[in-house]
Amino acid sequence: MEGFKTIIEPFRIKMVEPIELTTRVERELFLEKAHYNTFLLHSSEVIIDFLTDSGTSAMSANQWAGMIVADESYAGARSWERMEAVVKHLTGCPFILPTHQGRAAERILYSHLGGKGKTFISNTHFDTTRANIEFSGAEAIDIPIKEATIPSLEHPFKGNLDVDKLDALIADKGAKNIGAVILTVTNNSGGGQPVSMQNAREVGEVCKKHGVLYILDCCRIAENSWFVKHREAGMENKTYEQIAQEMFGFADGAIMSAKKDGLVNMGGFMSLKDPELAAACTNLLIITEGFTTYGGLSGRDMEAMAIGLTEVFDPDYLTYRIRSTQYLGDKLTAMGVPLVRPIGGHAVYIDAKAFYPNIPINQYPGQALVAELYLTGGIRAVEIGSVMFGKYDALKNLIPAPMELVRLAIPRRVYTQSHIEYVLEVFEKLVGYRTRNKGYKITKEPEFLRHFTSHFAPIG
Ligand code: F0G
């Protein structure tokens, strides 16, 4: 589509799912009933669902066809063999462990490697990754490059990990106390920002020097490859898949939530190079997920994943995917909505602290924006700030997260341009109320992953 500025969806719609349209009065009731936590809404109460890009992809006709011919045998199913072959080809790892989603692989690998006294280091641990590590008794330290924490700053690879800090931190903690170094591509919690090939290579060199395990958290590796091809010198003539393969080549293994770039509604895997580590994880896999040739998956899930992991590297799909996310981001920027710049692959991240400068951090400006988006337009988003990552000191004062973001995560192949135009209109209304100065308080919260189930109440 060279020479045209309209980004058409490179697919036609064959099957439709109705959206229930609601009024503001209805939404006020729904949100109150959900204790102002959008995770607790019914999906039928949502018009545009930007809660997550995870497990929300529309599958292709090919994937649905694959699900019909899938093999549901307990052991050695054809669908497993197909998925295993695709994942081996992509990751270059000889040992592939299927799991029902990303965090199941995290639980297996990080409970085995973790425990008290162990440290894990990442550009940014995703919330489930951090929770699995901390649940094992280990600590999780984030060391993104310093540019990553300034939302408005433009940088081509803001997802990069600070390699100098990594070297110093491993030396300080002692290599034997490092559970693993985890490079998250793209860096979801850090704004969906890409990681460069050079950074992935350098992280590998530091890990090798210290003899520390290096894992890619690769659930958006295809989107990351798009950025590498278009932003990094020397990468322009490689295919997206070759770029991904090269990146996997530096690491000792990977964990993937296939619910993102696997283009499936459920699925994940772990891939490993070391036979001993693979054997230990396989034991845990069988105990908690399922036999080695299905993990927590049915044959049809594995079939759909094998096809999805191939489709996702299609250049027309990837270009549409990244450019349509950028379209939303660029229009919001033009409207004066402060965003994490540049726009990442799977989502647009709003800097809620800058959007609502009058709301104190301990009244969660991100949560306030999430609530307003829902009330005004039925848009469901998620706070990635002090609700998700805040901690308390001994006196129960909030220790805020580094940034107060709200994520609009775009499901793959689901919404069309007119949905996005509607979202932009909703923002036009919100921009008029930026003087808002009251936020929310938490009235009930669990110990781990509190954003999922906490209850909130508006202040004042
Ligand atoms: N790692 C990253 C970078 C993720 O974004 C996620 C999930 C996981 C691991 C865990 O995978 O959900 O299959 O268990 N992210 C979703 C999100 C939930 O909304 O960003 P999972």
Side-chain angles (χ1 to χ4, degrees):
M1 299 299 287
E2 269 165 51
F4 292 92
K5 65 176 190 307
T6 305
I7 316 149
I8 67 163
E9 290 82 12
F11 48 81
R12 307 188 284 190
I13 296 167
K14 192 171 216 160
M15 204 187 281
V16 296
E17 186 181 5
I19 295 176
E20 289 180 40
L21 302 178
T22 54
T23 64
R24 174 157 185 133
V25 172
E26 286 169 333
R27 291 194 292 273
E28 282 170 1
L29 285 173
F30 296 150
L31 194 61
E32 191 185 342
K33 207 165 43 80
H35 305 282
Y36 298 90
N37 184 341
T38 48
F39 278 102
L40 303 180
L41 287 167
H42 298 287
S43 68
S44 59
E45 296 163 348
V46 174
I47 296 177
I48 303 285
D49 206 344
F50 285 164
L51 187 70
T52 179
D53 64 319
S54 180
T56 52
S57 301
M59 291 207 297
S60 65
N62 252 333
Q63 284 176 295
W64 284 108
M67 289 180 79
I68 302 286
V69 296
D71 179 358
E72 300 297 344
S73 304
Y74 190 96
R78 223 173 34 247
S79 299
W80 155 247
E81 284 162 5
R82 188 159 179 204
M83 171 189 149
E84 187 190 30
V86 169
V87 177
K88 274 188 180 173
H89 175 72
L90 179 62
T91 63
C93 288
F95 304 104
I96 312 300
L97 285 67
T99 60
H100 79 273
Q101 63 183 99
R103 73 196 69 178
E106 290 173 347
R107 171 176 45 78
I108 290 170
L109 185 61
Y110 303 142
S111 67
H112 175 70
L113 297 170
K116 225 178 160 37
K118 286 287 166 74
T119 298
F120 289 76
I121 306 169
S122 178
N123 44 352
T124 310
H125 294 85
F126 181 65
D127 59 359
T128 60
T129 319
R130 173 175 287 280
N132 270 297
I133 288 166
E134 290 178 352
F135 193 71
S136 83
E139 66 172 343
I141 299 179
D142 295 337
I143 48 164
I145 53 169
K146 62 179 186 315
E147 290 85 348
T149 53
I150 309 165
S152 59
L153 190 93
E154 298 278 347
H155 184 288
F157 291 105
K158 243 175 159 178
N160 285 354
L161 183 147
D162 188 326
V163 177
D164 292 333
K165 266 196 199 155
L166 176 67
D167 197 27
L169 194 55
I170 298 175
D172 178 46
K173 297 277 176 186
K176 67 175 194 322
N177 298 319
I178 305 296
V181 172
I182 304 164
L183 193 64
T184 312
V185 289
T186 57
N187 189 11
N188 184 7
S189 312
Q193 299 293 326
V195 175
S196 70
M197 188 68 83
Q198 184 185 343
N199 190 250
R201 186 188 319 108
E202 287 173 2
V203 170
E205 285 162 5
V206 173
C207 289
K208 205 156 261 139
K209 178 177 117 186
H210 292 279
V212 164
L213 193 76
Y214 176 19
I215 300 292
L216 282 191
D217 179 350
C218 68
C219 54
R220 298 180 182 86
I221 184 100
E223 291 171 2
N224 198 80
S225 298
W226 190 93
F227 290 105
V228 168
K229 183 177 169 86
H230 296 276
R231 290 187 185 166
E232 194 165 353
M235 294 288 143
E236 49 284 288
N237 295 325
K238 299 186 180 179
T239 67
Y240 298 113
E241 196 184 36
Q242 284 167 342
I243 290 170
Q245 286 167 324
E246 190 173 329
M247 203 169 263
F248 280 116
F250 303 130
D252 300 306
I255 279 181
M256 181 168 200
S257 166
K259 298 170 73 172
K260 287 81 169 171
D261 275 352
L263 296 176
V264 289
N265 304 120
M266 191 52 75
F269 63 81
M270 179 188 337
S271 63
L272 293 168
K273 291 183 180 164
D274 179 66
E276 279 174 31
L277 182 59
C281 289
T282 300
N283 277 334
L284 292 173
L285 178 79
I286 297 172
I287 294 168
T288 60
E289 278 286 287
F291 184 60
T292 55
T293 66
Y294 71 87
L297 297 168
S298 55
R300 52 185 171 271
D301 295 327
M302 298 191 284
E303 195 76 35
M305 196 197 301
I307 299 168
L309 281 173
T310 311
E311 285 180 355
V312 77
F313 288 103
D314 174 65
D316 290 340
Y317 162 74
L318 270 182
T319 298
Y320 140 78
R321 170 73 178 156
I322 305 295
R323 286 201 45 213
S324 57
T325 307
Q326 280 169 349
Y327 176 83
L328 173 61
D330 290 343
K331 291 266 172 168
L332 287 175
T333 302
M335 212 185 276
V337 178
L339 302 182
V340 174
R341 299 287 311 174
I343 306 302
H346 70 294
V348 170
Y349 292 71
I350 302 150
D351 179 355
K353 194 155 65 176
F355 192 81
Y356 286 137
N358 302 326
I359 300 182
I361 301 300
N362 62 7
Q363 294 183 19
Y364 305 107
Q367 197 63 27
L369 180 55
V370 165
E372 283 312 303
L373 276 169
Y374 178 71
L375 292 171
T376 307
I379 299 167
R380 176 152 70 167
V382 65
E383 193 259 19
I384 301 196
S386 293
V387 172
M388 193 180 270
F389 291 120
K391 304 242 158 169
Y392 293 114
D393 66 16
L395 297 171
K396 260 233 143 202
N397 294 313
L398 179 73
I399 308 169
M403 293 191 274
E404 302 298 328
L405 304 179
V406 167
R407 183 181 75 169
L408 308 177
I410 322 286
R412 292 168 183 78
R413 307 192 288 207
V414 171
Y415 292 115
T416 64
Q417 175 132 8
S418 82
H419 294 116
I420 300 298
E421 300 297 344
Y422 167 77
V423 171
L424 290 167
E425 265 191 65
V426 171
F427 269 95
E428 270 167 19
K429 290 190 196 291
L430 290 194
V431 166
Y433 296 104
R434 284 181 57 185
T435 48
R436 205 191 144 101
N437 60 9
K438 290 205 171 80
Y440 284 76
K441 64 179 180 215
I442 295 179
T443 53
K444 187 176 155 205
E445 62 184 296
E447 191 184 344
F448 288 100
L449 298 174
R450 66 180 181 167
H451 53 288
F452 286 131
T453 54
S454 283
H455 292 181
F456 300 89
I459 292 174

